[in-house]
Amino acid sequence: MGNTSKKLAAKCTLLTKEEPKYVAATFRAASKNSERIREEDLIVSGKLDPVSLEKFWGPQIDPRLAQYLTNFLFGAGQQKSPTVDFNRFAELYVYNVRGTVEERMIVIYNCLGMDYNEDVELPYQLLKEYCESIVSTYMKMLKSSSSKRVRSWQDKGFRASASNVQALGEAVAATVGGDLDSPQHHCTAAQLSKWLQTNVLLRQLAELVYVNLYGINKKPGDESPAPLPPAAPSLLPAADGLEAMPDYPAVIDLSHIVWVNSHLPHKYQHKWRFLFSTNIHGESFSTMTGRIIDQGPSVIIVEDSSGYIFGGFATAAWGFGPNFTGTDEAFLFTCAPKMRVYPATSYNDHYQYLNHHTKTLPNGLLMGGQFQFGGIWVNAEPFGEGASAESCSTFRGYRRLSKEPSFRIRSLEVWGVGDKPALDKDDDERDTSILDTNPEAKAILDMAGRTRHSEGLREDPPL
């Protein structure tokens, strides 16, 4: 780093020990080695360039976010400044990556062309567009990334369409009000403060965006003016199990994956394991259950014939039985037409149920609610029919997931999340006889005095 960058970095006490050389290098590239950045270095002919800040941030940034950043850096209206110094440039990074709630509120107000004031309400539409610009920039970074994690999805046809990116931004913003489906026209500073404290996804998105924009992921000795392509984004899990399929018919979008994955317990967010798809394995309940039983926690994703996409996170491994299983970490969600999550209420423990070939109990897969009135019900016979009840006390804020109460399944997928669990029976498989799994047959042979020849043919257990 040159003397100019060292002098700049020394002026800012907000940065940690390793950050000044990266932030200063980015500042130096934009300011052409001077101590201030001029607005004309970022804006072409007085108008917002189609890819503003293109001189060193390139196509990674959404044009709306570029405008918001110039509002923060240079001000808006009569208070607009022709230049910005290094401290202000560094503040934009620090406030977004590890700022306090108040500092992050200052960023949002300033980016939207307003001075932070506890008495000033923020128009919800502006906040929604701000969230959309963050999400859009993150997705642009995904597309430009060369990481294996991103490629594992993109190579199989998973994309980030503009409509779904917009829907994810709307979902991030919608939690600022009390009613997710009918947000108010304005939000107060108190609502914004609470929202910033609880909205983990927005904080993660902003951190990833600014770490990449400011080149913090560069390798030591790299003096190139532009940041490197993003490191493997932590919000996107690795895809496991798609390698052998040359043409995977992707139903969900990268935006959907980020949305659902961000709500999973952290220990499961690093990997999604492909287990079942009706588009690949056919419409068979037996095939589905054979592929998902004993696979650990999983995500069920359903698309109905109307194009609604929804599902649930099952915390327990699936298995046949007469009782409900799972824990209060389970949730239901929608991906289309809107992205919403419905967490457990703890009112009851009807999180997941699976049964087949029984005469006295329903045969199918259920998540939430009661028999005949489930949040998600997938019928075993005939497979392809499902239902979503109008109300479900198992999950908070629940709204019917499908367009109609009863629906036809257009596609259904199941993904195991996290690492595949180690099963005890795998270790004992060599020492298992068919009689061990059928004690009644074993007892009948004993009563008849018949010799069980297989008892003497077992291998000695390994040392």
Side-chain angles (χ1 to χ4, degrees), residues 341-345 392-398:
V341 163
Y342 306 110
T345 60
C392 177
S393 58
T394 310
F395 297 102
R396 186 171 68 248
Y398 169 90

Side-chain angles (χ1 to χ4, degrees), residues 259-265 298-300 311-315 327-334 340-344 351 367 376 394-395 401:
W259 172 246
V260 175
N261 197 57
S262 69
H263 290 88
L264 297 177
S298 60
V299 169
I300 305 273
F313 167 55
T315 58
T327 70
D328 61 5
E329 289 184 316
F331 59 83
L332 299 183
F333 60 85
T334 61
R340 298 289 185 263
V341 163
Y342 306 110
Y351 303 117
M367 294 195 71
I376 297 176
T394 310
F395 297 102
L401 309 180

Side-chain angles (χ1 to χ4, degrees), residues 215-282:
I216 304 303
N217 61 318
K218 285 186 177 181
K219 296 179 181 179
D222 182 4
E223 289 296 322
S224 61
L228 292 177
S234 60
L235 291 175
L236 191 69
D240 185 28
L242 297 179
E243 304 84 4
M245 282 173 272
D247 185 20
Y248 181 81
V251 174
I252 53 175
D253 188 273
L254 291 178
S255 299
H256 298 151
I257 297 171
V258 168
W259 172 246
V260 175
N261 197 57
S262 69
H263 290 88
L264 297 177
H266 188 265
K267 58 185 175 182
Y268 302 130
Q269 291 183 4
H270 65 287
K271 182 192 298 182
W272 282 27
R273 295 174 288 108
F274 174 68
L275 300 179
F276 174 80
S277 168
T278 53
N279 292 325
I280 292 175
H281 302 108

Side-chain angles (χ1 to χ4, degrees), residues 12 18 30 96 127 150 167 205 226 240 278 290 303 329 338 404 418:
C12 185
E18 293 298 320
N96 279 283
L127 183 66
V150 178
L205 286 165
D240 185 28
T278 53
E303 181 186 20
E329 289 184 316
K338 289 185 177 182
E404 303 294 341

Side-chain angles (χ1 to χ4, degrees), residues 55-104:
K55 297 196 188 321
F56 60 104
W57 274 334
Q60 295 184 74
I61 190 168
D62 183 280
R64 291 171 298 177
L65 183 60
Q67 180 63 72
Y68 297 146
L69 300 193
T70 56
N71 287 345
F72 180 90
L73 294 172
F74 300 100
Q78 296 180 348
Q79 299 179 349
K80 201 168 192 177
S81 171
T83 61
V84 65
D85 63 12
F86 180 76
N87 269 351
R88 186 63 170 173
F89 189 73
E91 281 177 353
L92 179 61
Y93 165 79
V94 173
Y95 288 176
N96 279 283
V97 172
R98 57 172 181 277
T100 64
V101 170
E102 184 174 357
E103 287 169 342
R104 294 167 67 207

Side-chain angles (χ1 to χ4, degrees), residues 9-39:
K11 292 182 178 181
C12 185
T13 59
L14 297 173
L15 300 172
T16 63
K17 183 178 179 181
E18 293 298 320
E19 289 172 337
K21 58 184 177 181
Y22 300 111
V23 178
T26 303
F27 181 89
R28 187 182 62 195
S31 66
K32 301 177 181 177
N33 290 321
S34 68
E35 294 193 3
R36 300 185 73 86
I37 297 177
R38 299 176 303 167
E39 184 181 1

